[in-house]
Amino acid sequence: MNHCVPDFETDDDYFFSASANSKRHKKSAMGDEDIMELLWQNGQVVVQSQNQRSAGNKKSETMPSTAGREIRSGVIDEETTPSNLFMQEDEMVSWLHYPSDDNSLDLYLHNNDIPYPVLPSSSSAPATTLPSSLPPPPPPLVTVPPTRPPIPPLNRVDEEPSQPKFANFLHFSRSNKRGLAGSGPSSSKQMSQAITQSTVVESNIGCRGSMSSFGGAGTSSAGTGREPETCDVSASSSPGTGGSGASASVEPSSHKPPPATDDRKRKGRDTDDTECYSEDLEFEYHDPKKKSRGSASSTKRSRAAEVHNLSERSDKASMLDEAIEYLKSLQMQVQMMSMGYNMVPMMFPGVQRYMPTMPAMGMGMGMGMGMGMDHIGMNRGMVPYPSVLPGPQMPNSAAAHMGQRFPVPRFQMAQVPIMGPGTGEAANPSDPMMNSFPTQNANQPRVPFLDPYQQCLGLPQTQLAQQQQQQQNQTGMAAVTSKPSSSKDVRYPQRHPTG
Amino acid sequence: MSSRRSGSTPRITDEQIIELVSKLQQLLPELRNRRSNKASASKVLQETCNYVRSLHKEVDDLSDRLSQLLSTIDDDSPQASIIRSLIN
């Protein structure tokens, strides 16, 4: 029997080629007058001429997955599948039903904007193009139009575990567009299983290359076709998650008929979507794995599942990490904004002493921020003091904010000297900045500021400021917010008699 | 997380994921006081979503207030620069 491998270029080549080139390619072009029919048999697509329909040759044909992935429409590769193609009667009969609807099939294909039409157009001799009656080669087999009860092909898929591969995948992807849900949950489940199998096989086969090519071709050719998107998603996905991505993207669509979800799933959101839906997919994986027909593909499937799990787990962990970081940054941002919102009103002349006047120092910033926020916290109870004080914990954003704040204190410092003469506290040797600060701060300006501030904050704040001020003096910390001023003010009266 | 074999290299273990979830839980104000084992991962994630939403809302609210504040002061003042730095 001749096996003809129709040589038609389609975006679906990927699907076809992956699983069994031969089968798809069996465009019944073998004999001009001999109409070849592609049938699924035991996981193999068997091409058999109609005349040989009853021939019981069952030769499992090896599906050279890596063999020519392309289906050339016009060229018949008889060498691609040396094995004979067989055809089972029942399958043949069921399969025949589809060809009967060639027109609808064509319509379907065209509606789907699938590159399939390319086949007929590009195919030359093989009379078995889509328009032809029976043979619409792989496409019909692969993509049993969902309009027709896809059950026959699906049944076949179930029967042949190893076979479905891309064919089912393709069918699945096509059906998605048509609302696979309509075909029924059972069929979708089957298809999903098939898809997973196919995706697993895909990943194993390393179809990624083909997928990318497919994706490229798909996008170029299909405008609204979903396959291209699916392929793109797969192609864009990392190799490890390629299969899972494809399956994930495909799976959810099958489970969620609404096209919106499909778009969401398919729209190139590879990792995110796969992560989201990998959970569902995992369960799907489980079933196929368990039900795997125990063929060699099960090993591949388990391996792919492992890879999928690994990538998924790492995705989960990375997602959790990201969530934690984002949550922290968001909390810090809210803290900064609230603090700024509270501090700015106090920055106006008269209350400027409250602002830190020290240059940005690592600890200083922390201290400043801590103090500021501490004040705010005490004022409003929004910020817990201990949690805010440590400077190193502040994120870079906070540091940036602090950095931006520093010019302000300097500005205020510039103003300070103008406001009043040195108070005699310049002799503070502990810190040069502190020296400048006392000199610049006049008693009068500070007192008015401090008093209302102290009144607002209450006594504890003053005491705290004192403590912090003392700490700062001792440690020589430069960046201090209102502590120095407040403490100095507090101390000022004490020093006054002395100073 | 289904317990699947991690494969040859134990890059990420379930333990790690559980730890991350507990870390996340500690950041949540509602679940922080509870013992880490009390909240399930799904609850933690749910609370995280809610908390992030509330934080976003708060950030927007603060931004609005800061903008209003910014409009009331001179743009040349240092306060304005501070406010601008806070508003994203």
Side-chain angles (χ1 to χ4, degrees), chain A residues 41 46 48 52 54-59 84-87:
Chain A
Q41 169 164 351
V46 174
Q48 188 174 6
Q52 301 175 9
S54 44
N57 290 348
K58 292 199 181 182
K59 253 205 265 183
N84 297 338
L85 305 172
F86 312 99
M87 182 160 85

PDB file of all heavy atoms in Angstrom, chain A residues 41 46 48 52 54-59 84-87:
ATOM      1  N   GLN A  41      -6.042   4.127  14.346  1.00  0.00           N
ATOM      2  CA  GLN A  41      -6.082   2.753  14.770  1.00  0.00           C
ATOM      3  C   GLN A  41      -5.041   2.529  15.823  1.00  0.00           C
ATOM      4  O   GLN A  41      -3.851   2.653  15.575  1.00  0.00           O
ATOM      5  CB  GLN A  41      -5.817   1.842  13.575  1.00  0.00           C
ATOM      6  CG  GLN A  41      -5.583   0.410  14.030  1.00  0.00           C
ATOM      7  CD  GLN A  41      -5.719  -0.522  12.887  1.00  0.00           C
ATOM      8  OE1 GLN A  41      -6.149  -0.113  11.827  1.00  0.00           O
ATOM      9  NE2 GLN A  41      -5.350  -1.758  13.088  1.00  0.00           N
ATOM     10  N   VAL A  46      -3.857   5.351  10.439  1.00  0.00           N
ATOM     11  CA  VAL A  46      -3.625   4.391   9.364  1.00  0.00           C
ATOM     12  C   VAL A  46      -4.235   4.944   8.101  1.00  0.00           C
ATOM     13  O   VAL A  46      -5.370   5.384   8.075  1.00  0.00           O
ATOM     14  CB  VAL A  46      -4.273   3.043   9.705  1.00  0.00           C
ATOM     15  CG1 VAL A  46      -4.145   2.098   8.527  1.00  0.00           C
ATOM     16  CG2 VAL A  46      -3.596   2.481  10.951  1.00  0.00           C
ATOM     17  N   GLN A  48      -5.287   4.099   4.573  1.00  0.00           N
ATOM     18  CA  GLN A  48      -5.579   2.920   3.755  1.00  0.00           C
ATOM     19  C   GLN A  48      -6.522   3.344   2.668  1.00  0.00           C
ATOM     20  O   GLN A  48      -7.404   4.158   2.863  1.00  0.00           O
ATOM     21  CB  GLN A  48      -6.208   1.849   4.638  1.00  0.00           C
ATOM     22  CG  GLN A  48      -6.356   0.523   3.918  1.00  0.00           C
ATOM     23  CD  GLN A  48      -6.832  -0.541   4.863  1.00  0.00           C
ATOM     24  OE1 GLN A  48      -7.143  -0.252   5.997  1.00  0.00           O
ATOM     25  NE2 GLN A  48      -6.898  -1.772   4.382  1.00  0.00           N
ATOM     26  N   GLN A  52      -8.856  -0.914   0.242  1.00  0.00           N
ATOM     27  CA  GLN A  52      -8.227  -1.805   1.196  1.00  0.00           C
ATOM     28  C   GLN A  52      -8.890  -1.703   2.548  1.00  0.00           C
ATOM     29  O   GLN A  52      -8.370  -2.149   3.539  1.00  0.00           O
ATOM     30  CB  GLN A  52      -6.759  -1.444   1.349  1.00  0.00           C
ATOM     31  CG  GLN A  52      -6.035  -1.534   0.049  1.00  0.00           C
ATOM     32  CD  GLN A  52      -4.621  -1.056   0.240  1.00  0.00           C
ATOM     33  OE1 GLN A  52      -4.206  -0.832   1.362  1.00  0.00           O
ATOM     34  NE2 GLN A  52      -3.911  -0.886  -0.853  1.00  0.00           N
ATOM     35  N   SER A  54     -11.085  -3.083   3.981  1.00  0.00           N
ATOM     36  CA  SER A  54     -11.288  -4.290   4.756  1.00  0.00           C
ATOM     37  C   SER A  54     -10.000  -5.015   5.036  1.00  0.00           C
ATOM     38  O   SER A  54      -9.970  -5.981   5.764  1.00  0.00           O
ATOM     39  CB  SER A  54     -12.254  -5.210   4.025  1.00  0.00           C
ATOM     40  OG  SER A  54     -11.897  -5.247   2.657  1.00  0.00           O
ATOM     41  N   ALA A  55      -8.994  -4.571   4.409  1.00  0.00           N
ATOM     42  CA  ALA A  55      -7.728  -5.252   4.653  1.00  0.00           C
ATOM     43  C   ALA A  55      -7.373  -5.140   6.108  1.00  0.00           C
ATOM     44  O   ALA A  55      -7.427  -4.079   6.696  1.00  0.00           O
ATOM     45  CB  ALA A  55      -6.630  -4.605   3.791  1.00  0.00           C
ATOM     46  N   GLY A  56      -7.053  -6.212   6.630  1.00  0.00           N
ATOM     47  CA  GLY A  56      -6.838  -6.180   8.071  1.00  0.00           C
ATOM     48  C   GLY A  56      -5.409  -5.970   8.462  1.00  0.00           C
ATOM     49  O   GLY A  56      -5.000  -6.334   9.539  1.00  0.00           O
ATOM     50  N   ASN A  57      -4.681  -5.442   7.588  1.00  0.00           N
ATOM     51  CA  ASN A  57      -3.289  -5.245   7.973  1.00  0.00           C
ATOM     52  C   ASN A  57      -3.185  -4.284   9.114  1.00  0.00           C
ATOM     53  O   ASN A  57      -3.621  -3.155   9.027  1.00  0.00           O
ATOM     54  CB  ASN A  57      -2.512  -4.673   6.782  1.00  0.00           C
ATOM     55  CG  ASN A  57      -2.373  -5.715   5.724  1.00  0.00           C
ATOM     56  OD1 ASN A  57      -2.645  -6.874   5.981  1.00  0.00           O
ATOM     57  ND2 ASN A  57      -1.969  -5.304   4.552  1.00  0.00           N
ATOM     58  N   LYS A  58      -2.647  -4.770  10.073  1.00  0.00           N
ATOM     59  CA  LYS A  58      -2.441  -3.875  11.165  1.00  0.00           C
ATOM     60  C   LYS A  58      -0.984  -3.796  11.449  1.00  0.00           C
ATOM     61  O   LYS A  58      -0.415  -4.665  12.037  1.00  0.00           O
ATOM     62  CB  LYS A  58      -3.161  -4.374  12.404  1.00  0.00           C
ATOM     63  CG  LYS A  58      -4.612  -4.283  12.181  1.00  0.00           C
ATOM     64  CD  LYS A  58      -5.297  -4.324  13.465  1.00  0.00           C
ATOM     65  CE  LYS A  58      -6.772  -4.255  13.153  1.00  0.00           C
ATOM     66  NZ  LYS A  58      -7.506  -4.242  14.324  1.00  0.00           N
ATOM     67  N   LYS A  59      -0.469  -2.799  11.014  1.00  0.00           N
ATOM     68  CA  LYS A  59       0.929  -2.605  11.289  1.00  0.00           C
ATOM     69  C   LYS A  59       1.002  -1.326  12.062  1.00  0.00           C
ATOM     70  O   LYS A  59       0.613  -0.283  11.608  1.00  0.00           O
ATOM     71  CB  LYS A  59       1.686  -2.461   9.975  1.00  0.00           C
ATOM     72  CG  LYS A  59       2.480  -3.698   9.702  1.00  0.00           C
ATOM     73  CD  LYS A  59       3.623  -3.384   8.829  1.00  0.00           C
ATOM     74  CE  LYS A  59       3.399  -3.604   7.398  1.00  0.00           C
ATOM     75  NZ  LYS A  59       4.462  -3.374   6.552  1.00  0.00           N
ATOM     76  N   ASN A  84       2.787   0.334   6.978  1.00  0.00           N
ATOM     77  CA  ASN A  84       1.524   0.377   6.266  1.00  0.00           C
ATOM     78  C   ASN A  84       0.482   1.037   7.096  1.00  0.00           C
ATOM     79  O   ASN A  84       0.540   1.067   8.321  1.00  0.00           O
ATOM     80  CB  ASN A  84       1.083  -1.041   5.909  1.00  0.00           C
ATOM     81  CG  ASN A  84       2.080  -1.676   4.973  1.00  0.00           C
ATOM     82  OD1 ASN A  84       2.817  -0.972   4.319  1.00  0.00           O
ATOM     83  ND2 ASN A  84       2.117  -2.988   4.941  1.00  0.00           N
ATOM     84  N   LEU A  85      -0.427   1.493   6.442  1.00  0.00           N
ATOM     85  CA  LEU A  85      -1.504   2.151   7.145  1.00  0.00           C
ATOM     86  C   LEU A  85      -2.702   1.244   7.104  1.00  0.00           C
ATOM     87  O   LEU A  85      -3.020   0.644   6.101  1.00  0.00           O
ATOM     88  CB  LEU A  85      -1.817   3.468   6.455  1.00  0.00           C
ATOM     89  CG  LEU A  85      -0.559   4.301   6.351  1.00  0.00           C
ATOM     90  CD1 LEU A  85      -0.817   5.508   5.511  1.00  0.00           C
ATOM     91  CD2 LEU A  85      -0.067   4.696   7.730  1.00  0.00           C
ATOM     92  N   PHE A  86      -3.289   1.187   8.201  1.00  0.00           N
ATOM     93  CA  PHE A  86      -4.435   0.291   8.249  1.00  0.00           C
ATOM     94  C   PHE A  86      -5.659   1.075   8.564  1.00  0.00           C
ATOM     95  O   PHE A  86      -5.609   2.212   8.985  1.00  0.00           O
ATOM     96  CB  PHE A  86      -4.239  -0.759   9.321  1.00  0.00           C
ATOM     97  CG  PHE A  86      -2.888  -1.383   9.230  1.00  0.00           C
ATOM     98  CD1 PHE A  86      -1.870  -0.962  10.054  1.00  0.00           C
ATOM     99  CD2 PHE A  86      -2.645  -2.348   8.284  1.00  0.00           C
ATOM    100  CE1 PHE A  86      -0.624  -1.535   9.959  1.00  0.00           C
ATOM    101  CE2 PHE A  86      -1.385  -2.912   8.196  1.00  0.00           C
ATOM    102  CZ  PHE A  86      -0.379  -2.511   9.038  1.00  0.00           C
ATOM    103  N   MET A  87      -6.653   0.404   8.384  1.00  0.00           N
ATOM    104  CA  MET A  87      -7.878   1.115   8.562  1.00  0.00           C
ATOM    105  C   MET A  87      -8.845   0.159   9.159  1.00  0.00           C
ATOM    106  O   MET A  87      -9.048  -0.930   8.674  1.00  0.00           O
ATOM    107  CB  MET A  87      -8.280   1.603   7.185  1.00  0.00           C
ATOM    108  CG  MET A  87      -9.470   2.384   7.133  1.00  0.00           C
ATOM    109  SD  MET A  87      -9.421   3.293   5.600  1.00  0.00           S
ATOM    110  CE  MET A  87     -10.096   2.053   4.592  1.00  0.00           C
TER     111      MET A  87
END
